Amino acid sequence: MTIKLGVPSKGRLMEKTFDWFGARGVKLSRSGSDREYAGAVEGVEDVSLVLLSAGEIPRELAAGRIHLGVTGTDLVREKLVQWDQKVEQLAELGFGQADLIVAVPAAWVDVDTLDDLDGAAAAFRARHGFRMRIATKYHRLVRDYLRMGGVADYQLVDSQGATEGTVKNLTAEAIADITSTGETLRANHLKVLAEEPVLRSQATLFRSRAAKLTEADREAMRGLSEMLGV
């Protein structure tokens, strides 16, 4: 058996992950065509590369089907209930930084804080007869954040893409989404609440607490950990 390392299968996240491991003496590479999800590992023994979508990696870690995985903090905390009992955070990799934020129309000049949002939500329900809609794909994280912030009269509506456009399209009154520069928000006439974000996320190396390890696997894990400095 070998240590299975799950890495995002494409794009900048894959490239940056390859660079991070390569700088520590572990060369990761794709093998075959771009349509094949096969990879190779050089520089360390008994480690195999598994290429997955970033969204799949939390589930595979929790199920114990991979031993290590690189994915965003936001995905692990959103997809895994009691995430810290299922995975261990080993290292933040220093790229893929983005904030999960709550944003409202820029025209809402009196709404800058969670207290303001709670008041606006109550007024919206009194005026329209239904709860203010907040579009997001991060239901668990946003619900916990709003509850701790004392926001009550709202409903979350699912949005798996182009979330910033939901307000303009009149399918939501506010949004909660991941952003790195805020440019798309501004282009859609949205402003971020002047609060700490729901979550500050970045690419992170996680270890599965469920994956089974033989003694040989433990030795391979120790060797890899020494090389990576985690």
Side-chain angles (χ1 to χ4, degrees):
M1 191 174 173
T2 61
I3 298 299
K4 293 183 178 179
L5 168 63
V7 166
S9 59
K10 58 186 177 181
R12 187 171 177 272
L13 203 54
M14 180 187 76
E15 294 167 3
K16 289 285 190 180
T17 300
F18 284 9
D19 290 346
W20 188 88
F21 277 84
R24 290 155 180 80
V26 180
K27 182 181 178 182
L28 307 180
S29 61
R30 291 191 74 134
S31 57
S33 71
D34 286 345
R35 294 180 181 274
E36 294 181 72
Y37 292 98
V41 180
E42 299 174 50
V44 65
E45 298 294 323
D46 299 320
V47 178
S48 62
L49 180 61
V50 182
L51 295 171
L52 300 162
S53 74
E56 290 176 308
I57 290 172
R59 180 188 64 207
E60 296 300 296
L61 285 165
R65 289 188 285 266
I66 58 175
H67 300 85
L68 299 169
V70 173
T71 190
T73 320
D74 59 314
L75 295 173
V76 165
R77 298 196 184 191
E78 172 64 23
K79 291 177 178 288
L80 302 184
V81 180
Q82 296 180 317
W83 67 273
D84 55 342
Q85 295 183 22
K86 297 173 182 175
V87 299
E88 177 189 2
Q89 183 173 305
L90 296 182
E92 294 179 328
L93 307 190
F95 57 86
Q97 292 97 335
D99 292 342
L100 176 56
I101 55 81
V102 175
V104 300
W108 290 12
V109 295
D110 294 328
V111 179
D112 292 306
T113 67
L114 286 171
D115 281 344
D116 296 338
L117 184 65
D118 183 51
F124 182 90
R125 186 177 186 185
R127 185 179 307 116
H128 297 284
F130 62 93
R131 288 187 173 92
M132 183 178 68
R133 298 163 296 179
I134 302 176
T136 190
K137 67 177 180 180
Y138 295 96
H139 291 243
R140 190 191 317 280
L141 289 169
V142 173
R143 189 179 297 113
D144 289 347
Y145 176 79
L146 294 177
R147 183 181 67 249
M148 289 188 292
V151 181
D153 272 326
Y154 71 92
Q155 58 180 315
L156 297 181
V157 293
D158 193 52
S159 175
Q160 294 298 320
T163 302
E164 297 93 341
T166 57
V167 174
K168 181 179 179 181
N169 293 331
L170 305 180
T171 57
E173 285 68 52
I175 71 162
D177 201 14
I178 205 87
T179 183
S180 53
T181 65
E183 288 181 11
T184 307
L185 294 171
R186 290 188 290 273
N188 285 277
H189 308 291
L190 299 171
K191 65 175 182 178
V192 178
L193 292 186
E195 301 271 7
E196 274 297 298
V198 180
L199 178 70
R200 296 189 189 278
S201 181
Q202 67 174 292
T204 302
L205 176 63
F206 293 94
R207 179 184 70 84
S208 169
R209 296 187 186 276
K212 291 180 170 52
L213 293 169
T214 65
E215 190 52 46
D217 293 334
R218 295 182 193 280
E219 185 62 32
M221 186 74 85
R222 281 192 289 269
L224 179 60
S225 296
E226 286 179 11
M227 290 190 72
L228 300 179
V230 298

